[in-house]
Amino acid sequence: MSRSTPIIHKTRTQVVVEVLREKILSGDIAAGEPLRQSALADELNVSRIPVREALLQLEAEGLVKFEAHKGATATKLSVEQATELFELRALIETDLLAKAIPKLEDEDLLKAEKVLDELESAFKQEDAVSTWSELNTRFHTCLYSPADHPHTLEVVHGLNTNCDRYIRLQLLLAGGIPQAEQDHRELLSLCKNKEIDKAVELLRAHILHAAKAIRKLVAQQVG
């Protein structure tokens, strides 16, 4: 008898979080735009309670900001924030990768390659932009997980959520896709060959190169 696929039940709050997160990350909700709970509740056909809970979760993710007398707004793009986020990623992710590579097994590498195939396919589809971040995170997670540092990996996932808008901006407006594809393939090859130092340096360069392009784009957007 085949195993049945488990049914995932989502609360109203989870659904609202996913809808609003995607709207913010895609730019449908502009940076600095007020997020009025009553209007969102009407639009999404829910009460204000799940909207309020969703906004609090998005605040924890760094995508929403609450201000006195103004309520919730979508977080604005910032050169300073982008710099801090990507420098943190470069520090933490390179350390994770260095610890993970000696423990990488064939199964981990096969999973990473499969996800990378999916990501490259998504890059070619205009309607798949919303999947880029998830697939990119899954690819890197395949390489980092063997380090067996779950709390550090959780921090990385949080950073990636906050970096999502910036990464999409770079990929869509700065022509970053070919470089990303090349870096990912080379990184996977270095991991297969257990070339720790080269893999770590490539990952650091990959993250910081993206950060440089993003800072330039954000400066233009907010300037």
Side-chain angles (χ1 to χ4, degrees), residues 6-47:
I7 298 173
I8 299 174
H9 296 284
K10 295 182 180 180
T11 65
R12 284 187 175 85
T13 298
Q14 288 173 316
V15 172
V16 174
V17 165
E18 291 177 5
V19 170
L20 294 181
R21 182 193 289 127
E22 178 55 30
K23 284 179 174 290
I24 292 170
L25 294 176
S26 67
D28 285 346
I29 294 177
E33 182 176 334
L35 300 168
R36 311 211 180 278
Q37 294 180 36
S38 57
L40 291 171
D42 290 342
E43 178 185 342
L44 300 173
N45 195 29
V46 296
S47 72

Side-chain angles (χ1 to χ4, degrees), residues 24 44 52 79 85 125 148 166 176 194 214:
I24 292 170
L44 300 173
R52 171 73 178 177
V79 172
L85 289 171
Q125 301 172 43
D148 196 23
Y166 295 106
K194 307 292 186 184
I214 288 163

Side-chain angles (χ1 to χ4, degrees), residues 47 49 62-63 97 104 108 117 126 139 141 148 169 172 187 193 197 199-201 204-205 209 213 218:
S47 72
I49 294 174
L63 298 178
L97 184 65
L104 279 170
D108 302 311
D117 289 341
E126 291 184 3
F139 168 68
T141 298
D148 196 23
L169 191 66
L172 288 168
L187 182 63
N193 295 328
D197 291 343
V200 165
E201 284 308 308
R204 180 179 290 109
H209 173 78
V218 173

Side-chain angles (χ1 to χ4, degrees), residues 8 14 18 23 30 45 55 60 70 90 121 137 143 147 161 172 174 182 187 202-203 220:
I8 299 174
Q14 288 173 316
E18 291 177 5
K23 284 179 174 290
N45 195 29
L55 291 174
K70 289 182 65 176
S121 176
T137 298
L143 300 180
T161 295
L172 288 168
Q182 179 181 327
L187 182 63
L202 174 61
L203 179 60
Q220 293 171 349

Side-chain angles (χ1 to χ4, degrees), residues 138-159:
R138 281 172 53 197
F139 168 68
H140 285 277
T141 298
C142 288
L143 300 180
Y144 302 159
S145 290
D148 196 23
H149 281 50
H151 298 297
T152 307
L153 196 57
E154 188 175 337
V155 170
V156 168
H157 288 164
L159 288 171

